[in-house]
């Protein structure tokens, strides 16, 4: 899989830009603040419907513009597709595939797959649990685009349930009459159904991902592992059964937490509060691993994601956003060697010297809103 052309209009710093791409390595080189990351961020958005830098679309639209448009021509084997997204902050985004009539943005998921390496990846190890849940869910959706709908259903039910709980909590605090919470049972059932599907997919993903993470960590830091993954449910120890058993378990956990949830006005049990545990040997990586070990672990998670997607028959585009400047020379060279054979590798760097020799290929200079062949 590779992108042959990227077109942006009013995205970030670019009023308009057209970039021709080819398989192999392409490096975007230029001083910080000139728009290098904006280019690869756009590629990532077309793959994931989200940015690795911000949580909302508003910052992605150039100041003074009403919308931004992103287009990419994607080749997979003999198949060629053009995907287009129109970002409309405050309104619904729009999408097209092969310039056909409008489709839902979610329909473009799976056409382009990317694996991103970025300085922000350190938060996968050092950050809060939400960062690791997001990592799992993005990889899960890349493997199975239908899971985007399951995640949306879960978030919708969670929002409705939290609204009901918050209203009940406020009534209790102000001495009002107790609310009828019979509808809470209905929302519990919906939450358990969608939540069980998320849990089943996350657990299956961890099963296949863990050996790949351990292998990647050993390649980056020989003798420093083993790297181990574990999943901790917010409602206690998870059962090892199927979706039906997971749904029953969630219903029981919700029932056990109901009194506390009504007091606090928020849902305390479910996949939205679970934790992916990262371990090096017998110790948790967070709080115990050195800075270099944390970097190796974060890189191992990304390399394992790439290996998994490639093994399943759809090699993703590799994006390395200013990551080499963050690494020592040993990790820099080793990472470059491991990713160099990729079908398409997009690299950003402030200076050409930050691009390892193993990643020889096309070069673009990025400065003043212009992207020109170097």
């Amino acid at each position: 899989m590779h992108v042959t052309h990227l077109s942006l209009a009013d995205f970030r710093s670019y009023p308009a830009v057209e970039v021709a791409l080819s398989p192999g390595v392409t490096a975007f080189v230029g001083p910080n603040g000139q728009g290098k990351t904006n280019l690869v961020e756009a590629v990532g958005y077309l793959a994931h419907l989200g940015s690795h830098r911000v949580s909302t679309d508003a910052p992605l639209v150039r100041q003074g513009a009403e919308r931004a448009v992103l287009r990419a021509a994607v080749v997979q084997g003999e198949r060629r597709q053009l995907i287009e997204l129109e970002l409309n902050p405050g309104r619904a985004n729009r999408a097209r595939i092969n310039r056909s009539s409008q489709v839902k943005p979610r329909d473009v998921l799976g056409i382009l797959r990317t694996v991103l390496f970025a300085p922000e990846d350190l938060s996968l190890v050092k950050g809060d649990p939400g960062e690791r849940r997001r990592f799992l869910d993005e990889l899960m959706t890349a493997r199975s685009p239908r899971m985007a709908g399951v995640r949306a259903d879960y978030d919708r039910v969670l929002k409705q349930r939290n609204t009901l709980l918050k209203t009940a909590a406020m009534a209790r605090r102000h001495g009002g009459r107790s609310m009828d919470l019979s509808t809470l049972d209905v929302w519990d059932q919906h939450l358990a159904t969608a939540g069980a599907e998320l849990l089943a997919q996350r657990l299956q993903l961890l099963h296949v991902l863990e050996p790949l993470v351990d292998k990647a960590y050993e390649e980056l830091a020989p003798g420093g592992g083993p790297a181990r993954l574990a999943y901790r449910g917010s409602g206690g120890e998870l059962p090892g059964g199927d979706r039906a058993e997971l749904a029953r378990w969630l219903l029981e956990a919700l029932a056990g937490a109901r009194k506390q949830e009504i007091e606090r006005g928020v849902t305390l049990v479910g996949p939205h509060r679970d934790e992916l545990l990262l371990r090096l040997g017998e110790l948790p990586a967070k709080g115990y691993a050195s800075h270099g070990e944390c970097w190796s672990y974060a890189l191992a998670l990304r390399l394992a994601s790439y290996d998994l997607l490639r093994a399943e028959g759809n090699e993703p585009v590799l994006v390395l956003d200013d990551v080499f400047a963050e690494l020592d020379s040993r990790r820099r060279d080793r990472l470059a060697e491991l990713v160099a054979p990729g079908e398409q590798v997009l690299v950003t760097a402030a200076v050409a010297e930050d691009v390892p020799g193993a990643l020889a290929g096309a070069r673009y200079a990025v400065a003043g809103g212009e992207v020109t062949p170097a």
Side-chain angles (χ1 to χ4, degrees), residues 1-4 21-24 26 315-318 342-346:
M1 172 182 292
H2 61 275
V3 178
T4 61
L21 297 168
S22 59
T26 298
E315 181 172 346
V317 175
L318 286 169
E343 180 177 347
Q344 187 171 52
V345 183
L346 306 180

Side-chain angles (χ1 to χ4, degrees), residues 205-217 227-229 304:
L205 173 57
L206 283 188
H207 177 72
V208 295
L209 188 65
E210 183 182 33
L212 297 176
V213 172
D214 188 42
K215 173 178 174 288
Y217 191 89
R228 295 287 181 257
L229 309 180

Side-chain angles (χ1 to χ4, degrees), residues 287-305:
Y288 288 89
S290 68
H291 184 74
E293 288 171 333
C294 288
W295 257 119
S296 293
Y297 213 130
L299 294 173
L301 290 168
R302 295 301 189 190
L303 283 170
S305 303

Side-chain angles (χ1 to χ4, degrees), residues 84-86 93-97 100-105 108:
E84 175 182 318
L85 289 174
E86 179 183 294
N93 291 341
R94 304 171 72 180
R96 292 180 185 273
I97 300 174
S100 67
S101 57
Q102 184 177 330
V103 298
K104 295 179 181 179
V108 310

